[in-house]
Amino acid sequence: MYEKGKILVIEPETPVNGVKTLLKHLYEEPYWKDYEVKKIGIWFDLAYKNDKGEIIEARSEEEKQKLKRRVIEDIRNYKPDLIHLNAYCIDKDLLPVIFSHPVVYTVHSVAPYDDLHFINRYLPLDGYTFLALTKDIAANAVLNKEEEVATLLMEKYNIPFAQEAKESLVIALYMTALQKEILQKAKEIIYISPHVKEKVNEFYGIGRGKVIKNGTNIFRDYEDKKDLINRVAKEWKEETFPGKILVLYTGRVTEDKGVLDLVKAMESINSDNIVLFISGRYEIEMKDKISESPSYGKKIFLNSESNGINYNSLLALIIAADIVVYPSYHEPFGLVPIEAASLGKEVIVRDVDNLSTFIKEGIAVGFKTIDELAQKIEETAKKLNKIKEIFSNSGSVEDLEKVKEFIDEKKRRMEYVRRFYSMERVREEYKSVFDEILKTH
């Protein structure tokens, strides 16, 4: 009897994470019928979700040790042929059991570039100094030497000694050392974008591995329930923002996602016909900052039970929107822009990191400053209003030509994303990598 290859997928065990969303779509069961796939979640030594979905959390040292023993036992009992690792947030004590199997490590973010900005809460540094420090962290991070290296870096950068400052550096060094160790030991490295591969090489000096760009199947979900989604989106928009150009931000509502820049851009737009709807998880502190805007409740709105769309779906929100803005400061990939582009929406992104790729591919418009963001929103809204006006009234031949150009360009963007960023393509490329490894294992 044919024996299926056994794959253990490890994802970060956090409440909201784009990695988990990607893996959910990547490992849809029908496609992996030739494999046995189990999925677990790990977050350092603080949380573990087994393949049955049971979550174990640990706070005390005793609980942490128990959690790690449980993870080790479960991995050994499963005896995977291959481990697909999608996080570096793995306690160092778990690395030996993980790397006793062939490991394919997908790099979703680069610790010293994407994930260490929390240290500026405790040691505010200018941009140049922060970059120099993160490069030193990447060069010197070694497991079990975090305290020693933190002291040396505080001396080098004249950082006044404070317990919180040192602790933040120790955590940053630990996170970076974990990722470096995983990169060095992985049998194969996969990068979610050329940008991520470039940053791994820049910070760690590691050039091996291949790029498999992330993908989406949101457009297939839309086609499956198109009539329902269109109806719900139309009803919600007409009830909540009748006659308005709706700008949407969806994702984590945090400062590092550039949401406050988007709020400031909206404040500078004079038109009352353009409104912003912000949808996603947020902390009370962030809600307070947004609600301080003089435009809050007038043309800037935050999702709540009273104004949320009455169909729990990202799809309905995107379909209701006229413009989707993604102003993130750092973005290894950026799933929301390609999701929106695949559904024919006008997309505006900050010209940074992998988001710059979408601008070059012509599926998004870019901006660098808050003023430029406001300008791009106004220009796009003006274009959309003109198209709506032509649709409402019989336009001239020249006007009708503009509509045709608009529709053709919209179709081009949709077709481009659906071809080059499809989840089917992502699955095929991963399967090819796994097949090659399992063939020789």
Side-chain angles (χ1 to χ4, degrees):
M1 182 179 174
Y2 173 70
E3 190 172 328
K4 294 183 178 182
K6 295 167 73 173
I7 299 174
L8 181 68
V9 181
I10 300 179
E11 62 185 13
E13 185 43 47
T14 55
V16 177
N17 195 292
V19 177
K20 294 168 82 168
T21 302
L22 173 73
L23 293 174
K24 177 185 175 185
H25 296 308
L26 176 60
Y27 285 102
E28 284 178 352
E29 288 183 10
Y31 189 81
W32 297 92
K33 61 181 183 301
D34 293 333
Y35 297 85
E36 180 183 311
V37 179
K38 284 194 176 181
K39 196 183 295 181
I40 63 172
I42 300 174
W43 188 253
F44 297 104
D45 56 0
L46 300 175
Y48 169 54
K49 182 173 73 174
N50 64 21
D51 65 294
K52 298 178 182 63
E54 299 165 340
I55 297 176
I56 302 167
E57 295 185 338
R59 292 293 175 265
S60 70
E61 192 56 40
E62 183 182 350
E63 288 174 337
K64 290 177 182 180
Q65 293 303 320
K66 186 177 178 182
L67 181 149
K68 287 188 281 190
R69 287 195 298 271
R70 174 67 185 277
V71 177
I72 291 168
E73 181 184 342
D74 285 354
I75 293 175
R76 283 178 176 162
N77 287 341
Y78 183 53
K79 298 177 183 176
D81 296 306
L82 182 149
I83 290 180
H84 181 201
L85 184 59
N86 290 272
Y88 63 81
C89 50
I90 308 294
D91 187 275
K92 63 185 178 184
D93 293 342
L94 301 177
L95 296 181
V97 71
I98 289 172
F99 282 99
S100 64
H101 305 84
V103 172
V104 175
Y105 172 42
T106 297
V107 189
H108 295 273
S109 65
V110 183
Y113 182 74
D114 296 300
D115 301 330
L116 302 188
H117 296 277
F118 67 88
I119 63 179
N120 256 350
R121 296 177 194 169
Y122 309 104
L123 37 140
L125 303 168
D126 62 77
Y128 177 80
T129 307
F130 179 78
L131 177 60
L133 174 60
T134 53
K135 289 202 170 181
D136 266 346
I137 288 172
N140 296 289
V142 179
L143 288 175
N144 303 317
K145 291 190 177 181
E146 296 87 357
E147 294 270 350
E148 175 187 331
V149 176
T151 300
L152 291 172
L153 291 178
M154 291 182 80
E155 291 173 358
K156 178 176 179 178
Y157 288 90
N158 297 314
I159 298 169
F161 183 84
Q163 192 61 31
E164 284 185 331
K166 185 171 183 182
E167 285 176 356
S168 72
L169 268 177
V170 167
I171 293 169
L173 284 159
Y174 181 61
M175 291 167 63
T176 305
L178 282 169
Q179 185 168 50
K180 187 191 291 188
E181 185 94 352
I182 291 167
L183 285 163
Q184 290 169 345
K185 290 185 174 180
K187 187 170 185 65
E188 180 63 277
I189 303 170
I190 292 174
Y191 307 95
I192 61 169
S193 68
H195 162 76
V196 170
K197 185 173 184 180
E198 175 191 318
K199 289 302 173 185
V200 164
N201 195 21
E202 178 184 338
F203 281 86
Y204 295 116
I206 295 172
R208 70 185 181 96
K210 65 178 294 182
V211 175
I212 298 180
K213 292 182 182 180
N214 278 355
T216 179
N217 63 357
I218 196 170
F219 54 89
R220 297 206 182 282
D221 294 341
Y222 170 68
E223 297 298 338
D224 288 344
K225 41 196 172 186
K226 188 174 182 178
D227 292 341
L228 170 64
I229 291 165
N230 286 345
R231 177 175 58 78
V232 170
K234 182 180 179 183
E235 289 175 356
W236 175 76
K237 188 180 177 188
E238 287 178 351
E239 181 182 340
T240 316
F241 303 111
K244 305 291 185 182
I245 293 291
L246 178 59
V247 178
L248 172 68
Y249 168 82
T250 181
R252 285 190 297 111
V253 184
T254 58
E255 290 194 45
D256 65 294
K257 288 295 184 182
V259 176
L260 294 183
D261 283 357
L262 178 53
V263 168
K264 288 176 184 175
M266 286 296 300
E267 289 172 356
S268 68
I269 293 173
N270 292 323
S271 173
D272 293 329
N273 190 49
I274 305 170
V275 297
L276 168 66
F277 188 71
I278 301 168
S279 176
R281 286 176 64 99
Y282 51 81
E283 302 292 337
I284 293 298
E285 180 184 355
M286 193 64 183
K287 180 182 179 182
D288 291 343
K289 288 181 179 180
I290 294 170
S291 61
E292 286 172 5
S293 168
S295 298
Y296 185 70
K298 299 172 185 174
K299 59 180 179 180
I300 296 172
F301 302 87
L302 192 59
N303 69 311
S304 65
E305 288 183 12
S306 61
N307 67 11
I309 201 160
N310 61 349
Y311 183 74
N312 186 22
S313 172
L314 171 63
L315 271 168
L317 270 177
I318 294 177
I319 293 300
D322 296 290
I323 304 167
V324 175
V325 179
Y326 204 71
S328 182
Y329 288 115
H330 291 278
E331 205 55 54
F333 182 74
L335 196 57
V336 170
I338 65 163
E339 289 175 333
S342 78
L343 295 170
K345 297 300 166 175
E346 302 290 316
V347 181
I348 302 173
V349 299
R350 193 183 297 271
D351 192 356
V352 295
D353 298 349
N354 194 59
L355 300 179
S356 300
T357 302
F358 302 150
I359 299 166
K360 291 171 188 168
E361 291 173 328
I363 58 178
V365 172
F367 75 93
K368 290 185 181 292
T369 66
I370 294 173
D371 287 344
E372 193 177 0
L373 173 56
Q375 178 190 343
K376 298 292 184 185
I377 291 172
E378 287 183 302
E379 287 174 355
T380 306
K382 185 177 179 181
K383 177 178 71 174
L384 292 172
N385 277 326
K386 179 65 177 175
I387 296 298
K388 287 179 182 179
E389 182 185 321
I390 295 170
F391 269 119
S392 300
N393 308 294
S394 298
S396 63
V397 172
E398 186 179 300
D399 282 343
L400 293 174
E401 186 61 35
K402 284 180 183 176
V403 171
K404 183 180 182 304
E405 287 175 8
F406 174 80
I407 293 172
D408 287 346
E409 175 56 21
K410 177 178 173 177
K411 284 181 179 177
R412 183 201 68 78
R413 293 196 304 268
M414 291 170 67
E415 288 170 3
Y416 184 91
V417 175
R418 293 181 182 202
R419 178 181 176 188
F420 292 103
Y421 289 100
S422 72
M423 186 54 66
E424 284 82 358
R425 187 267 311 161
V426 179
R427 291 193 198 105
E428 286 171 8
E429 293 193 39
Y430 269 99
K431 188 173 181 292
S432 176
V433 171
F434 296 163
D435 283 346
E436 190 61 34
I437 292 173
L438 292 174
K439 222 186 286 179
T440 58
H441 178 56

